[in-house]
Amino acid sequence: MKILFAIVVLGFTACAEKQKEVAQVSKSNQPNIILFVADDHGTDAIGAYGNPVIKTPNLDQLASEGVKFTNAYCTSASCAASRSVILSGKFGHATGSYGHVHDYHHFSTYDTETSLPVIMEKSGYETARIGKYHVAPEKVYHFNQVLEADPRNTVEMADACADVLKSDKPFFLYFCTDDPHRGHPFEPEQWDTPNSFGNKKEGYKDVETVIYNPEDVLVPSFLPDTKQTREEIAQYYQSISRIDQGFGKLMKMLQETGKADNTIVIYISDNGMAFPGAKTTVNEPGIKLPCIIKDPTKGTKGTTNKAMISWVDLTPTILDMAKIDFKKEQFHGKSFNSILNKTNPEGWDEIYASHTFHEITMYYPMRVVRSKNYKLIWNIAYRLEYPFASDLWASSTWQSIYRHKIEYFGPKKVQDFLFRPEFELYDLSKDKNELDNLAYKDKFRGVLELMKSKMKKFQKETSDPWMIMWGHDASLQGSGVNL
């Protein structure tokens, strides 16, 4: 009997060891993943996206070695709200992540939610973050390691990641810069002084200061081409060149570890450039963003992908890349891993956006559906004046128009910028600056109703509390009583 028991025990032990060995082999096949997130960087300022002036050789190299998406969108052009979506795979209106988390804004994700780093940690990944965090609570967005470095010096940040890159386990590195966000003070002593965008006269250690002539920069078509705008864009470019150098350092360090061939690298931004008409809006310059992905396991190089993808898709995509099982209904987004190596895949021609707050004093909920060329914006609080983020209001770019009572801000009337209709419908194939509102034209009544129906369906499927604004629909509202 004792002999039989010993045999059984040995059998179980051998089986357990075999399972452990299989698990270790499986984990060794899992790729490392680096998610590099810039702060307020639009597609307007990367060489790979067509800007011949700005110097971004390392990001351009990433595009030449991977896939560049030309229809990638955040869901809200606001730092904290966007980052909550990136790490949760759900729209902020469903998780309580309505706006900023810091200071008195205090918006926070429900503590019942589960995030990407927590799932990856449970699946055997070493998870580490460095730089801008801007989500809460920590319990939901927990990382194994929190690395410290100056978030304006991406070279220093890269150096701080050395041990993570050498990890014995597969790693997920969440690398978030403060660049090219506007720098403090937002309101200068002299109104027409350009914001620094984090740049310093003395520069940063181990970073080459790349200075741009305001006369040479490219002014996006939605902005006024003024002296002040050009001076601020020159500062913005300088900040981005600093990002590029740190990114290049990180890639060099990765190469030196010998792990580059099994590491997926993703470069994105949380929202568009920090200028009026982009950041905090749901207009294209605010939500259409860079997305460059190098997946050496797929062998796709130097390609352009036209699929419409969204930051709500990032969590399921990264889990898919990491070979981690998940239930599709767990997220609002869907994995685009399978179409990474395609140019114009079918079925990827619709995205949604959802913005409610930036700062707590900026209540202006907007919902968006973009379906092929058509885009519908619902300005739920359209009776209010469009609110300004504190840094954008103080910008010399805006003040140069506002102080001199100039009628137009770029191609749009200031009056139309500040006071918006309830619905805006645009055909982006003919109207990239979103100026010709088709929503109130009889010819497009059918398109408007179709887009409204898509929006309502989206809101219902993602548990959007603002559905109540459609005819006081309270179907998502609870009893108001805690039982």
Side-chain angles (χ1 to χ4, degrees):
M1 190 70 178
K2 288 182 179 179
I3 295 173
L4 179 61
F5 177 76
I7 292 173
V8 171
V9 169
L10 285 171
F12 275 121
T13 303
C15 184
E17 289 298 321
K18 185 66 177 177
Q19 287 178 341
K20 184 177 179 181
E21 182 182 332
V22 170
Q24 287 174 341
V25 171
S26 174
K27 285 181 180 179
S28 70
N29 291 331
Q30 289 180 295
N32 307 303
I33 296 172
I34 297 174
L35 178 57
F36 193 113
V37 185
D39 196 357
D40 303 354
H41 187 190
T43 57
D44 56 279
I46 302 182
Y49 280 86
N51 187 322
V53 177
I54 195 163
K55 295 178 175 63
T56 53
N58 295 298
L59 292 175
D60 298 346
Q61 182 176 342
L62 182 70
S64 71
E65 295 173 348
V67 180
K68 175 182 68 179
F69 283 86
T70 53
N71 287 299
Y73 288 83
C74 68
T75 65
S76 177
S78 179
C79 302
S82 180
R83 289 162 192 268
S84 74
V85 175
I86 290 168
L87 293 178
S88 73
K90 290 185 177 182
F91 288 91
H93 60 238
T95 65
S97 309
Y98 304 127
H100 280 347
V101 303
H102 66 284
D103 298 333
Y104 52 76
H105 309 298
H106 201 56
F107 292 111
S108 183
T109 300
Y110 301 140
D111 61 11
T112 52
E113 296 293 335
T114 303
S115 72
L116 174 64
V118 171
I119 296 170
M120 295 191 79
E121 179 186 347
K122 288 180 179 177
S123 300
Y125 269 79
E126 181 62 35
T127 63
R129 66 174 175 89
I130 187 168
K132 187 164 184 173
Y133 189 42
H134 221 37
V135 286
E138 197 276 339
K139 169 190 170 184
V140 170
Y141 300 104
H142 175 74
F143 286 79
N144 287 348
Q145 296 186 49
V146 179
L147 309 175
E148 299 293 338
D150 183 348
R152 290 286 188 182
N153 185 339
T154 46
V155 171
E156 182 183 309
M157 291 174 71
D159 283 331
C161 296
D163 288 343
V164 174
L165 300 182
K166 298 172 186 175
S167 172
D168 292 334
K169 297 195 294 185
F171 64 79
F172 171 53
L173 175 60
Y174 183 56
F175 191 111
C176 301
T177 69
D178 273 9
D179 292 324
H181 193 288
R182 285 177 176 266
H184 289 282
F186 292 150
E187 190 168 354
E189 291 183 13
Q190 194 170 317
W191 74 264
D192 60 350
T193 301
N195 186 270
S196 69
F197 286 83
N199 304 317
K200 299 189 298 187
K201 288 182 180 179
E202 67 274 21
Y204 290 86
K205 187 176 184 295
D206 298 326
V207 178
E208 177 191 353
T209 299
V210 182
I211 297 175
Y212 294 89
N213 187 332
E215 294 180 3
D216 297 334
V217 303
L218 303 182
V219 179
S221 58
F222 71 94
L223 288 174
D225 191 348
T226 64
K227 173 178 178 290
Q228 290 77 20
T229 300
R230 286 182 168 274
E231 288 175 345
E232 292 212 298
I233 291 176
Q235 295 291 323
Y236 167 63
Y237 280 13
Q238 182 177 329
S239 187
I240 291 166
S241 284
R242 189 164 54 251
I243 290 176
D244 187 78
Q245 290 179 57
F247 180 81
K249 176 67 183 290
L250 186 68
M251 292 301 99
K252 183 173 183 292
M253 291 169 61
L254 177 65
Q255 195 70 42
E256 290 170 350
T257 66
K259 296 183 179 182
D261 290 341
N262 192 40
T263 302
I264 296 169
V265 180
I266 304 170
Y267 181 87
I268 63 169
S269 172
D270 57 356
N271 50 251
M273 66 190 303
F275 284 75
K279 183 177 179 178
T280 77
T281 77
V282 289
N283 296 112
E284 294 292 286
I287 62 174
K288 189 174 183 180
L289 301 174
C291 180
I292 307 172
I293 301 177
K294 177 185 176 182
D295 183 349
T297 68
K298 286 187 168 58
T300 304
K301 293 186 177 182
T303 61
T304 297
N305 193 314
K306 297 179 182 177
M308 285 189 200
I309 61 170
S310 166
W311 287 182
V312 78
D313 299 322
L314 282 170
T315 283
T317 299
I318 290 171
L319 291 177
D320 197 1
M321 290 172 165
K323 303 173 185 176
I324 297 173
D325 292 333
F326 62 92
K327 295 179 180 178
K328 291 181 179 180
E329 59 271 20
Q330 186 177 346
F331 306 109
H332 294 152
K334 58 182 179 178
S335 171
F336 55 82
N337 184 40
S338 63
I339 56 107
L340 199 62
N341 56 358
K342 297 182 180 178
T343 302
N344 196 14
E346 294 183 5
W348 291 85
D349 54 9
E350 201 162 279
I351 60 96
Y352 297 85
S354 171
H355 179 97
T356 306
F357 286 92
H358 180 66
E359 298 161 8
I360 196 170
T361 51
M362 292 177 62
Y363 175 76
Y364 204 86
M366 299 172 283
R367 300 295 182 263
V368 175
V369 55
R370 163 110 193 250
S371 184
K372 297 181 180 177
N373 291 328
Y374 285 108
K375 177 179 179 180
L376 177 66
I377 301 172
W378 181 26
N379 297 307
I380 299 172
Y382 68 99
R383 296 177 182 85
L384 299 176
E385 181 176 332
Y386 193 84
F388 261 89
S390 51
D391 56 337
L392 303 187
W393 174 263
S395 70
S396 59
T397 296
W398 173 255
Q399 289 296 320
S400 65
I401 303 299
Y402 176 74
R403 283 172 177 266
H404 297 102
K405 296 181 169 55
I406 296 174
E407 185 179 6
Y408 282 84
F409 181 81
K412 184 176 287 191
K413 285 186 176 182
V414 170
Q415 184 72 7
D416 293 338
F417 189 91
L418 295 175
F419 296 96
R420 307 185 177 200
E422 183 177 10
F423 294 103
E424 300 175 63
L425 177 65
Y426 302 109
D427 181 349
L428 295 180
S429 66
K430 302 174 182 177
D431 181 20
K432 70 173 185 177
N433 284 323
E434 299 165 90
L435 299 173
D436 183 16
N437 186 4
L438 308 176
Y440 300 97
K441 296 183 178 181
D442 289 342
K443 181 180 176 182
F444 295 93
R445 188 175 299 169
V447 176
L448 176 64
E449 292 308 313
L450 175 62
M451 297 292 276
K452 281 184 181 180
S453 67
K454 287 178 179 289
M455 186 175 287
K456 290 176 184 178
K457 184 173 183 287
F458 152 70
Q459 288 184 277
K460 187 172 183 178
E461 289 178 348
T462 59
S463 303
D464 185 357
W466 275 263
M467 265 201 77
I468 200 170
M469 304 307 289
W470 294 104
H472 303 283
D473 179 356
S475 58
L476 295 176
Q477 187 170 303
S479 65
V481 178
N482 292 323
L483 301 177

